[in-house]
Amino acid sequence: MDDLIEKLVGLLNEYKLYVDVNLIFDSTEDFLYRQKGQLKLDNTVIEEFLPILVRKCIVKEFGKCDVDVGSQTATFSSAYFESSLSYPAIGGGLRIKTKDQDFSMSRKLYLKSSYTSTFEETKTSTVTTHLGYVMAELKTNLDKTMYQEASATAHDIKLAVTGAKYYLLCDFLDMTPISTTTTDIDEILIVRKAKRISSNIRKEFSTYAGWQKNREWYVNYLTTHPYSANVLKRFIDHIFSQMKNEDLIEESVLDVGYF
């Protein structure tokens, strides 16, 4: 498994360096570098990579992948009924709210609601959604505002699906680390093990001439802080721990003294 992860992460680093340097940084257009965040050029690569990595690791470990693994999948967040005594609506007016997740492992769920116990077709509301069990938000630079937003999202997710796990992955840290103990975030993983470039250096990159002058420094910064295979392996280990359904045996529990 380690060899697979290291190989895939190596390919990720090679491609991401090309995008960051050859495509964006070396562009003669100031617009591309300045607006890369708004254009999601930073996030798109890792968003597309993570489902591929997870799916391949699951197949290697378990022989198959019977869950939906993807990015921007609309997962269940809440259900409500648009109805009243004067307007009962079909099936009580069942409605589902969903939220797109940067990364999710989910299962498709089919719901039916009806005022009839036989679920007569003309009197039944049918809804299809995805229940998210492992979800992650991906950030390039994690600051305190993003952290607070993620905390709120994690809380809503676990209200909707009590067994769900929520992780926050970022390339670079742009805040003082805060314990996640008081939040519903299961863990924050800094996949490039580095802090964001300081503002006094970033201001030198405001123009094409400025960033070409500092190109060697920037390339060295990126190559010194590649995506970490160890951190991504830790994320895979978290997923595997959720997929192993081990029945508790009373004798074993009594031997170790906990469960």
Side-chain angles (χ1 to χ4, degrees):
M1 186 63 68
D2 290 358
D3 291 343
L4 174 63
I5 295 174
E6 288 177 8
K7 181 178 179 180
L8 290 174
V9 174
L11 292 171
L12 168 66
N13 281 317
E14 184 180 329
Y15 180 66
K16 191 64 163 65
L17 186 65
Y18 169 79
V19 172
D20 285 339
V21 178
N22 300 87
L23 177 63
I24 299 174
F25 205 74
D26 288 344
S27 172
T28 57
E29 301 294 331
D30 293 352
F31 166 80
L32 196 57
Y33 181 81
R34 290 177 178 176
Q35 299 299 319
K36 62 179 181 174
Q38 293 295 325
L39 296 172
K40 289 185 70 66
L41 292 175
D42 283 325
N43 276 36
T44 301
V45 174
I46 189 69
E47 271 189 25
E48 294 179 352
F49 170 79
L50 204 56
I52 295 172
L53 172 69
V54 170
R55 200 177 295 111
K56 285 185 177 294
C57 288
I58 291 174
V59 170
K60 186 175 179 64
E61 180 74 9
F62 300 101
K64 63 178 182 178
C65 181
D66 58 357
V67 296
D68 294 325
V69 182
S71 63
Q72 300 305 321
T73 300
T75 58
F76 175 86
S77 61
S78 65
Y80 62 99
F81 293 90
E82 286 185 342
S83 61
S84 65
L85 283 175
S86 60
Y87 176 67
I90 296 175
L94 174 63
R95 299 291 182 270
I96 296 293
K97 282 187 177 181
T98 60
K99 186 180 188 303
D100 292 348
Q101 302 293 337
D102 293 341
F103 170 84
S104 66
M105 294 179 64
S106 61
R107 295 184 187 276
K108 190 170 284 188
L109 185 72
Y110 304 91
L111 299 174
K112 283 186 175 183
S113 64
S114 177
Y115 290 117
T116 64
S117 60
T118 56
F119 291 97
E120 295 176 33
E121 186 174 346
T122 58
K123 298 180 180 179
T124 299
S125 174
T126 303
V127 176
T128 303
T129 187
H130 281 83
L131 279 188
Y133 292 104
V134 177
M135 283 160 284
E137 191 161 350
L138 310 178
K139 299 294 185 184
T140 300
N141 304 295
L142 177 63
D143 60 25
K144 193 169 183 179
T145 299
M146 294 176 185
Y147 170 82
Q148 292 169 339
E149 291 173 351
S151 298
T153 300
H155 180 70
D156 292 342
I157 283 171
K158 294 188 177 185
L159 283 177
V161 182
T162 56
K165 297 292 181 180
Y166 183 84
Y167 300 94
L168 187 55
L169 279 67
C170 68
D171 283 17
F172 304 106
L173 192 63
D174 194 23
M175 57 177 274
T176 301
I178 302 173
S179 173
T180 59
T181 305
T182 58
T183 74
D184 287 305
I185 300 172
D186 288 282
E187 191 168 81
I188 297 175
L189 297 101
I190 309 165
V191 290
R192 299 187 79 145
K193 293 185 176 181
K195 295 189 68 174
R196 187 184 187 186
I197 298 172
S198 59
S199 58
N200 64 311
I201 297 177
R202 293 202 310 271
K203 70 180 181 181
E204 300 293 329
F205 300 160
S206 59
T207 63
Y208 172 74
W211 61 70
Q212 285 304 299
K213 179 182 176 182
N214 294 278
R215 186 181 190 278
E216 184 178 351
W217 183 93
Y218 183 67
V219 172
N220 181 65
Y221 173 78
L222 293 178
T223 54
T224 304
H225 304 293
Y227 285 98
S228 168
N230 288 336
V231 174
L232 287 169
K233 182 180 182 301
R234 182 177 178 86
F235 182 61
I236 296 296
D237 288 341
H238 284 315
I239 290 172
F240 284 176
S241 70
Q242 299 304 307
M243 297 185 69
K244 294 177 180 177
N245 183 18
E246 299 179 353
D247 293 331
L248 294 174
I249 300 173
E250 185 176 348
E251 289 76 12
S252 298
V253 169
L254 293 176
D255 284 341
V256 299
Y258 62 85
F259 66 95

